[in-house]
Amino acid sequence: MLKILRPINANPSDPDLLLELRAYRERMESEIEQARQLQLVLLPNKGKLEALEASHQLAVSNFFQPATTLAGDSWDIWPLDERHIAFYMSDFTGHGVGSAIQSFRLNTLIAHASAYYFQPSELLGHLNHTLKRLLPAETFCTFFYGILDVEQGQLAYASAGAPCPYLFIHREQRCEALQDGGIPLGIVAENNYVTCYIAITQGDTLCLYSDALVESPSVNAPHISEHGLQEKLARIMQDASVTGQRLFMRALLKKLHALDGMQYEDDLTVTLITQL
Amino acid sequence: MDHRIEKTNHAHTVILRGHFTFADNQLFRQLMNQLIEQKPKKVVFDFEHVTYIDSAALGMLLLLKERLEESSIGLVLARPKDHVAKMFNISKFETLFAIET
């Protein structure tokens, strides 16, 4: 057994104890780094996004910044068939190791829920039912799930307490807030989720984000309300000098100070999806 | 976060002040156990002076609700303002808790 787990009256200048402490710290850092790499592998990589962009005429960009080395935020996007893509964004309470483990668990649950992929409200109901059984009382998950039909130009979606996503409607040059939905996943056994529909046409951009963007207090940046985010997003999208989705993302994050080296107090995820 | 408790025959009122976050986890659990031991008829958590709440703190309130229900103690969340009211609203807390404005 390590000396650090022995009686608390151990001599703090004991060289053996210091060596053991250093070895323990290094092992913990190494294990957390391995977990971080596993988590990053689960997120969509550049190759996956480029393949989707080519097959479904979309532009997708993402910014992901854990508050610590491991995050409770997660997201994914994948093709359902030649005209539908599915995507989700999730956020477990807290951050760090505990939330990351829940996030791994959710990833597995979604991977085994393909029977519900075409019914957003039913997917949320299924996940809620399972998480209610598995999660401790103080843990829950906010979740947004959408299916984009690129041929029909329609987004079907359902939300479980997720921050309100925005759709920038290109032809009207304005941002529309998508209706918020039901209770976050894992709190109550009853399902109250509803599938909503909205038209999406060429040039429209959907902005999904975790609550850190509008909720995390920071000494380095002013608090931004959801309404403030909606206004900033519309202004950037309307700016004719900003072309290309990756530049939109860059401009948005700069406007929100996320590129100023600011470390948010919660995990931060922002995803933009544009129909080309 | 700071807190103080006012006791009457009808209820114990916990007046919170400041930011209520993951950092308050241990303090909150101690407070919860203390309330359960004292067995008041009802507990009111007063959020008037809470300026920020994170999702971990919302989780603590869900745990509190479960534990108080097990002990047949009523729970009211009172006077959430601005950011706290918004977080309660996003998380649909009005469907889960008795909230007094």
Side-chain angles (χ1 to χ4, degrees), chain A residues 4-273:
Chain A
I4 54 173
L5 299 178
R6 286 180 186 166
I8 54 170
N9 58 358
N11 180 358
S13 59
D14 178 348
D16 287 346
L17 176 63
L18 289 174
L19 277 175
E20 281 196 52
L21 277 172
R22 183 176 296 162
Y24 178 74
R25 194 190 66 190
E26 284 172 356
R27 198 179 77 237
M28 290 309 297
E29 284 175 354
S30 163
E31 286 180 8
I32 287 175
E33 178 56 24
Q34 282 178 42
R36 193 178 79 89
Q37 291 302 327
L38 284 172
Q39 189 163 50
L40 290 176
V41 166
L42 291 180
L43 300 175
N45 61 28
K46 199 177 162 199
K48 182 179 181 180
L49 295 184
E50 283 176 355
L52 258 181
E53 289 178 8
S55 60
H56 288 72
Q57 294 81 51
L58 298 169
V60 184
S61 53
N62 172 258
F63 179 81
F64 177 75
Q65 177 183 281
T68 59
T69 47
L70 292 170
D73 279 14
S74 189
W75 82 286
D76 199 2
I77 183 166
W78 67 97
L80 293 179
D81 57 28
E82 67 283 354
R83 55 183 262 207
H84 294 94
I85 61 132
F87 53 91
Y88 77 84
M89 184 169 285
S90 62
D91 181 5
F92 277 92
T93 42
H95 43 80
V97 176
S99 303
I101 290 171
Q102 300 297 1
S103 184
F104 283 122
R105 171 184 261 169
L106 179 68
N107 187 281
T108 307
L109 289 176
I110 293 170
H112 288 88
S114 56
Y116 305 99
Y117 283 169
F118 279 96
Q119 288 97 29
S121 62
E122 291 190 23
L123 176 71
L124 268 65
H126 168 72
L127 295 173
N128 178 57
H129 182 72
T130 310
L131 288 174
K132 171 64 185 154
R133 209 164 27 84
L134 296 173
L135 296 178
E138 67 270 35
T139 303
F140 62 83
C141 175
T142 64
F143 191 78
F144 182 91
Y145 176 75
I147 308 165
L148 182 58
D149 180 339
V150 294
E151 266 183 39
Q152 293 289 316
Q154 187 183 62
L155 172 69
Y157 65 93
S159 173
C164 176
Y166 292 107
L167 178 67
F168 179 74
I169 301 170
H170 181 68
R171 68 175 186 283
E172 296 173 15
Q173 293 289 294
R174 67 177 182 85
C175 264
E176 179 152 329
L178 302 191
Q179 287 173 28
D180 60 0
I183 296 170
L185 304 179
I187 297 178
V188 293
E190 299 79 32
N191 295 327
N192 61 345
Y193 307 107
V194 177
T195 301
C196 303
Y197 300 88
I198 190 165
I200 288 196
T201 56
Q202 198 177 26
D204 291 356
T205 296
L206 183 66
C207 175
L208 305 168
Y209 54 94
S210 58
D211 60 0
L213 198 60
V214 289
E215 304 300 348
S216 261
S218 168
V219 290
N220 298 324
H223 177 79
I224 297 163
S225 65
E226 284 181 322
H227 182 66
L229 173 64
Q230 186 177 9
E231 280 185 353
K232 284 178 198 296
L233 190 65
R235 243 178 270 144
I236 292 164
M237 295 292 184
Q238 288 159 357
D239 184 351
S241 68
V242 182
T243 54
Q245 200 204 43
R246 283 177 183 82
L247 288 179
F248 279 141
M249 175 67 91
R250 204 171 166 73
L252 175 64
L253 294 171
K254 196 164 175 58
K255 200 106 185 162
L256 300 171
H257 304 274
L259 288 184
D260 296 345
M262 188 176 77
Q263 186 62 42
Y264 279 69
E265 292 185 16
D266 196 359
D267 309 320
L268 173 62
T269 308
V270 185
T271 297
L272 298 178
I273 302 171

Side-chain angles (χ1 to χ4, degrees), chain A residues 93-94 137-138 140 161 180-184 187-188 211 215-217 223 226, chain B residues 19 29 52 55-56 58-60 62-63 66 83 86-87 90-92 95-96:
Chain A
T93 42
E138 67 270 35
F140 62 83
D180 60 0
I183 296 170
I187 297 178
V188 293
D211 60 0
E215 304 300 348
S216 261
H223 177 79
E226 284 181 322
Chain B
H19 287 192
R29 281 170 189 271
Y52 177 78
S55 63
L58 295 178
M60 289 179 227
L62 290 167
L63 176 65
E66 186 175 285
H83 178 262
K86 203 171 100 187
M87 288 294 278
I90 289 172
S91 305
K92 312 291 175 201
T95 64
L96 304 167

